[in-house]
mmCIF file of all heavy atoms in Angstrom:
data_model
loop_
_atom_site.group_PDB
_atom_site.id
_atom_site.type_symbol
_atom_site.label_atom_id
_atom_site.label_comp_id
_atom_site.label_asym_id
_atom_site.label_seq_id
_atom_site.Cartn_x
_atom_site.Cartn_y
_atom_site.Cartn_z
ATOM 1 N N GLY V 316 -14.984 -1.949 7.826
ATOM 2 C CA GLY V 316 -14.996 -3.346 7.633
ATOM 3 C C GLY V 316 -16.288 -4.031 8.046
ATOM 4 O O GLY V 316 -16.864 -4.850 7.326
ATOM 5 N N GLU V 317 -16.765 -3.647 9.300
ATOM 6 C CA GLU V 317 -17.984 -4.188 9.783
ATOM 7 C C GLU V 317 -19.172 -3.899 8.848
ATOM 8 O O GLU V 317 -20.120 -4.682 8.558
ATOM 9 C CB GLU V 317 -18.278 -3.765 11.196
ATOM 10 C CG GLU V 317 -17.245 -4.321 12.161
ATOM 11 C CD GLU V 317 -17.614 -3.997 13.575
ATOM 12 O OE1 GLU V 317 -18.579 -3.255 13.804
ATOM 13 O OE2 GLU V 317 -16.900 -4.510 14.507
ATOM 14 N N CYS V 318 -19.188 -2.636 8.378
ATOM 15 C CA CYS V 318 -20.214 -2.189 7.425
ATOM 16 C C CYS V 318 -20.170 -3.080 6.140
ATOM 17 O O CYS V 318 -21.194 -3.556 5.608
ATOM 18 C CB CYS V 318 -20.085 -0.713 7.059
ATOM 19 S SG CYS V 318 -21.150 -0.149 5.760
ATOM 20 N N GLY V 319 -18.967 -3.286 5.633
ATOM 21 C CA GLY V 319 -18.775 -4.104 4.400
ATOM 22 C C GLY V 319 -19.234 -5.493 4.562
ATOM 23 O O GLY V 319 -19.825 -6.089 3.617
ATOM 24 N N LEU V 320 -18.950 -6.082 5.762
ATOM 25 C CA LEU V 320 -19.373 -7.530 6.043
ATOM 26 C C LEU V 320 -20.865 -7.687 5.989
ATOM 27 O O LEU V 320 -21.407 -8.612 5.472
ATOM 28 C CB LEU V 320 -18.757 -7.968 7.302
ATOM 29 C CG LEU V 320 -17.260 -8.248 7.360
ATOM 30 C CD1 LEU V 320 -16.782 -8.525 8.800
ATOM 31 C CD2 LEU V 320 -16.838 -9.332 6.488
ATOM 32 N N LYS V 321 -21.580 -6.730 6.551
ATOM 33 C CA LYS V 321 -22.986 -6.774 6.493
ATOM 34 C C LYS V 321 -23.563 -6.517 5.074
ATOM 35 O O LYS V 321 -24.473 -7.139 4.602
ATOM 36 C CB LYS V 321 -23.576 -5.629 7.430
ATOM 37 C CG LYS V 321 -23.287 -5.921 8.914
ATOM 38 C CD LYS V 321 -23.850 -4.789 9.764
ATOM 39 C CE LYS V 321 -23.442 -5.045 11.258
ATOM 40 N NZ LYS V 321 -23.968 -3.897 12.111
ATOM 41 N N LEU V 322 -22.821 -5.603 4.381
ATOM 42 C CA LEU V 322 -23.285 -5.145 3.079
ATOM 43 C C LEU V 322 -23.150 -6.373 2.045
ATOM 44 O O LEU V 322 -24.009 -6.530 1.129
ATOM 45 C CB LEU V 322 -22.508 -3.951 2.606
ATOM 46 C CG LEU V 322 -22.818 -3.429 1.173
ATOM 47 C CD1 LEU V 322 -24.228 -2.866 1.166
ATOM 48 C CD2 LEU V 322 -21.774 -2.356 0.783
ATOM 49 N N ARG V 323 -22.104 -7.104 2.173
ATOM 50 C CA ARG V 323 -21.843 -8.125 1.124
ATOM 51 C C ARG V 323 -22.910 -9.196 1.124
ATOM 52 O O ARG V 323 -23.132 -9.862 0.003
ATOM 53 C CB ARG V 323 -20.431 -8.752 1.335
ATOM 54 C CG ARG V 323 -20.295 -9.645 2.483
ATOM 55 C CD ARG V 323 -18.873 -10.170 2.528
ATOM 56 N NE ARG V 323 -18.735 -11.143 3.618
ATOM 57 C CZ ARG V 323 -17.654 -11.946 3.730
ATOM 58 N NH1 ARG V 323 -16.696 -11.944 2.787
ATOM 59 N NH2 ARG V 323 -17.593 -12.800 4.761
ATOM 60 N N GLU V 324 -23.630 -9.458 2.215
ATOM 61 C CA GLU V 324 -24.747 -10.424 2.185
ATOM 62 C C GLU V 324 -25.786 -10.023 1.220
ATOM 63 O O GLU V 324 -26.447 -10.879 0.626
ATOM 64 C CB GLU V 324 -25.300 -10.561 3.612
ATOM 65 C CG GLU V 324 -24.329 -11.030 4.683
ATOM 66 C CD GLU V 324 -24.924 -11.071 6.102
ATOM 67 O OE1 GLU V 324 -26.171 -10.748 6.165
ATOM 68 O OE2 GLU V 324 -24.204 -11.429 7.042
ATOM 69 N N ARG V 325 -26.002 -8.741 1.057
ATOM 70 C CA ARG V 325 -27.053 -8.256 0.152
ATOM 71 C C ARG V 325 -26.698 -8.621 -1.271
ATOM 72 O O ARG V 325 -27.650 -8.768 -2.066
ATOM 73 C CB ARG V 325 -27.147 -6.689 0.290
ATOM 74 C CG ARG V 325 -28.271 -6.073 -0.549
ATOM 75 C CD ARG V 325 -28.111 -4.525 -0.570
ATOM 76 N NE ARG V 325 -27.832 -3.906 0.669
ATOM 77 C CZ ARG V 325 -27.565 -2.643 0.736
ATOM 78 N NH1 ARG V 325 -27.375 -1.888 -0.309
ATOM 79 N NH2 ARG V 325 -27.302 -2.106 1.985
ATOM 80 N N PHE V 326 -25.418 -8.792 -1.587
ATOM 81 C CA PHE V 326 -25.047 -9.109 -2.950
ATOM 82 C C PHE V 326 -24.731 -10.548 -3.111
ATOM 83 O O PHE V 326 -24.081 -10.912 -4.194
ATOM 84 C CB PHE V 326 -23.887 -8.181 -3.363
ATOM 85 C CG PHE V 326 -24.308 -6.727 -3.373
ATOM 86 C CD1 PHE V 326 -24.232 -5.894 -2.235
ATOM 87 C CD2 PHE V 326 -24.843 -6.147 -4.499
ATOM 88 C CE1 PHE V 326 -24.537 -4.564 -2.293
ATOM 89 C CE2 PHE V 326 -25.207 -4.842 -4.571
ATOM 90 C CZ PHE V 326 -25.055 -4.039 -3.429
ATOM 91 N N GLY V 327 -24.973 -11.456 -2.176
ATOM 92 C CA GLY V 327 -24.691 -12.807 -2.349
ATOM 93 C C GLY V 327 -23.241 -13.233 -2.206
ATOM 94 O O GLY V 327 -22.837 -14.250 -2.748
ATOM 95 N N PHE V 328 -22.524 -12.555 -1.299
ATOM 96 C CA PHE V 328 -21.215 -12.942 -0.976
ATOM 97 C C PHE V 328 -21.016 -13.385 0.501
ATOM 98 O O PHE V 328 -21.759 -12.921 1.351
ATOM 99 C CB PHE V 328 -20.246 -11.755 -1.223
ATOM 100 C CG PHE V 328 -20.148 -11.326 -2.658
ATOM 101 C CD1 PHE V 328 -20.553 -10.130 -3.142
ATOM 102 C CD2 PHE V 328 -19.682 -12.181 -3.618
ATOM 103 C CE1 PHE V 328 -20.499 -9.748 -4.417
ATOM 104 C CE2 PHE V 328 -19.547 -11.830 -4.956
ATOM 105 C CZ PHE V 328 -20.055 -10.600 -5.340
ATOM 106 N N PRO V 329 -20.102 -14.318 0.776
ATOM 107 C CA PRO V 329 -19.092 -14.954 -0.100
ATOM 108 C C PRO V 329 -19.806 -15.861 -1.114
ATOM 109 O O PRO V 329 -20.714 -16.634 -0.765
ATOM 110 C CB PRO V 329 -18.152 -15.666 0.763
ATOM 111 C CG PRO V 329 -18.889 -15.909 2.056
ATOM 112 C CD PRO V 329 -19.821 -14.721 2.147
ATOM 113 N N ASP V 330 -19.283 -15.899 -2.318
ATOM 114 C CA ASP V 330 -19.827 -16.717 -3.407
ATOM 115 C C ASP V 330 -19.361 -18.141 -3.205
ATOM 116 O O ASP V 330 -18.229 -18.415 -2.925
ATOM 117 C CB ASP V 330 -19.369 -16.163 -4.731
ATOM 118 C CG ASP V 330 -19.919 -16.870 -5.929
ATOM 119 O OD1 ASP V 330 -21.096 -16.581 -6.318
ATOM 120 O OD2 ASP V 330 -19.280 -17.822 -6.442
ATOM 121 N N ALA V 331 -20.309 -19.100 -3.381
ATOM 122 C CA ALA V 331 -19.941 -20.543 -3.163
ATOM 123 C C ALA V 331 -18.913 -21.006 -4.140
ATOM 124 O O ALA V 331 -18.047 -21.747 -3.819
ATOM 125 C CB ALA V 331 -21.204 -21.391 -3.289
ATOM 126 N N GLN V 332 -18.960 -20.527 -5.427
ATOM 127 C CA GLN V 332 -17.997 -21.033 -6.450
ATOM 128 C C GLN V 332 -16.734 -20.270 -6.321
ATOM 129 O O GLN V 332 -15.678 -20.939 -6.572
ATOM 130 C CB GLN V 332 -18.679 -20.730 -7.870
ATOM 131 C CG GLN V 332 -17.720 -21.125 -9.005
ATOM 132 C CD GLN V 332 -18.293 -20.746 -10.319
ATOM 133 O OE1 GLN V 332 -19.444 -20.380 -10.515
ATOM 134 N NE2 GLN V 332 -17.489 -20.912 -11.393
ATOM 135 N N CYS V 333 -16.690 -18.974 -5.989
ATOM 136 C CA CYS V 333 -15.487 -18.239 -5.927
ATOM 137 C C CYS V 333 -15.330 -17.528 -4.619
ATOM 138 O O CYS V 333 -15.405 -16.246 -4.566
ATOM 139 C CB CYS V 333 -15.434 -17.231 -7.143
ATOM 140 S SG CYS V 333 -15.334 -17.970 -8.727
ATOM 141 N N PRO V 334 -15.185 -18.275 -3.534
ATOM 142 C CA PRO V 334 -15.138 -17.556 -2.175
ATOM 143 C C PRO V 334 -13.937 -16.693 -1.994
ATOM 144 O O PRO V 334 -14.076 -15.598 -1.387
ATOM 145 C CB PRO V 334 -15.131 -18.826 -1.139
ATOM 146 C CG PRO V 334 -14.601 -19.875 -2.034
ATOM 147 C CD PRO V 334 -15.054 -19.649 -3.386
#
Side-chain angles (χ1 to χ4, degrees):
E317 293 187 355
C318 174
L320 286 174
K321 295 177 182 178
L322 180 65
R323 68 180 186 166
E324 297 176 5
R325 187 193 309 170
F326 296 90
F328 295 116
D330 184 84
Q332 178 184 349
C333 294

